[in-house]
Amino acid sequence: MIELHGAAAARPPLVVLKFGSSVLRDRACLPEVVSEIYRIVRTGRRVIAVTSAFAGVTDALMRESLATGCAHDNVNAPAYIATGEEVSAALVAMACDRSGLCSIALKAPELGIRADGDPQDATPTALEAAILNAALDAHDVVVVPGFVATDASGRTVLLGRGGSDLTAVFLAHALGAERVRLVKDVDGVYDRDPAEAKGALRFEQIDWRGAGEVAGRLLQTRALDFAAARGVVVEVGEIGSDEATIIADKAKPPAFRARPPKLRVALAGYGVVGAGVAQRLLARPDAFELASVLVRDGEKSREGALPRALFTTDRDAFLDADADVVVDVLSDARAGAGLSAEALRRGVDVVSANKQALIGSHDVLTQLAATHGARLLHSAAVGGGAPLLEAVAAARGGAPIAMIEGVLNGTVNFILERLAMGQTFEEALRAAQAAGLAEADPSADLSGADALAKLRLISIAAFGVASCDVCVEPLTQHIAAHAGRERLKQVARIVREADALRGGIVFERAEGSAFADLHGDRNGVRIVTADGRVHTARGRGAGRWPTTESVFADLVDLRSARLSAAEEGMKVAV
Ligand code: NDP
Ligand code: HSE
């Protein structure tokens, strides 16, 4: 969660994402949906995620309700049918938590979504906006079951088949959202169904009526009518891309759009993070191709379903795998730095979570990236799944930064909390290792070296320089004994004083701290800018899924940027 506080703080922009049953096919699709939400949240936006029921569920519920009640006007059927959307909303909210997104699922009655008319085909008319805004203020994402509302008597009603589209457009209009995006399994509106017709042409822009005429099966026409009547611009796009058809008041002729090539990924490291990244890449064979996986031990038995032939211990063979991007999730700083440098030298993009490699060779790597026109992304290296570097960049974009403080090590935060609960140091450390939070050698966490590397990367993002005096307190037995008596937090801080930077990583009492409520593996930062504004960001700071989320978001952004560049290139060529 990224937030801005203070007198000048306005609510961050709101994006409404609607996930239909073409993307919410079953529970296996939940990680994809979470990633789409995550990549919007990390840009500092609030998200409402409107869900459809999983594929086939609404039909099954309708059949059951017809068999059970009076077929022609069963007033209680909508409440039963609505459970399809309510279940998927609850599951999306739970899946968000795994990646560190602060989420809540709220049902139509809780949000006061009112609708009038036919109970199976009602039209939304009102909403308790204050309730939804309060939920958005407290969470990264509010998940709302689509298709459902209540009538004046409090009875559940439905918004017609495909009514989740109408819920999304209605909420976007009621709350003045920046964007409303209907997320489908196609990248926009085509003149014919592209799954059935070869050579179907895609609209970059189409008007509301035209969209209803060509895509009545893809979009709910009542939602389009609602949008047209209120001037709501609607996007239709697929997961993992910023490309979309814009549905508004004007149309452009459709054009042929070649399916974009897959991003070939060479993955260095197959441990806690690497195996998570591989799993996510394999789930998107349409968008990504795993070219090679570099490991240290060729004999180790490996989790997951990767073909053995993909693994190599040969660095040169790995680099020759003709990848578009190298992902560095190695636990070895020297090996990671060398690999990233060689990839960048070859013009190959790099996504890295290897903070020690990054900080040890920062200038060389950024210089190589600039010289060879490659990109170096490293969101996961600081804060795991918590968008801390993104918050620093956003704050710096507004005004010079005066001070940053944060909890930057999930393992230490986790251990301190367990100590306060009465566990021994050894028990707490073992639990952090079992949860995949600690480094391969946990001494980097305990000595403060891990937090220091992150503080230095933050310093570069905030002030343009890594070097400053930082006094680092390690987590010793003495501190651990203290933490058993009183709740402590490890706080990393960097302050600009005149022309100098001063930093420290120290243990402070949790009580009264800005980070008192940051539990377990959570990380967070508080950034104060020279104009007095306070920016905050938090999330899960370590572990397989939060870190994978952040690496995956960098990969999706790289792919999306390549697609946009290719589109632009095609326009210039035309
Ligand atoms: P693991 O120890 O679980 O996995 C490390 C992987 O790197 C293993 O697959 C290992 O191979 C491979 N490896 C290590 N050295 C070499 C080498 N010299 N050549 C080839 N392969 C090598 O680490 P994590 O997945 O936990 O962390 C990976 C990186 O991500 C680290 O840099 C860490 O700091 C960073 N990170 C980790 C987070 C976390 O929560 N775990 C969060 C944010 C960042 P093999 O399997 O054969 O041993
Ligand atoms: N070991 C690190 C931590 C992993 O516990 O914070 C995330 O960088």
Side-chain angles (χ1 to χ4, degrees), residues 290-313:
L290 204 43
S292 183
V293 181
L294 181 68
V295 289
R296 185 174 32 198
D297 179 353
E299 303 303 315
K300 221 186 226 180
S301 73
R302 303 282 170 189
E303 62 176 299
L306 281 194
R308 198 78 211 168
L310 269 185
F311 289 94
T312 180
T313 54

Side-chain angles (χ1 to χ4, degrees), residues 1 38 97-101 272-273 353 355 378-389 406-414 432 435-439 445 450-451 454 518-525 537-551:
M1 168 174 271
Y38 177 87
D97 179 60
R98 183 177 84 157
S99 296
L101 288 169
V272 171
V273 182
K355 66 210 80 132
H378 62 279
S379 175
V382 180
L388 306 190
L389 288 174
V407 167
L408 301 183
N409 187 275
T411 301
V412 170
N413 199 49
F414 182 94
L437 309 179
E439 296 300 302
D445 298 296
D450 181 83
K454 292 169 184 168
L518 219 47
H519 297 297
D521 57 8
R522 307 257 163 190
N523 282 191
V525 288
R538 45 181 57 198
R540 287 196 194 278
R544 169 170 289 175
W545 295 116
T547 311
T548 291
E549 203 63 76
S550 179
V551 170

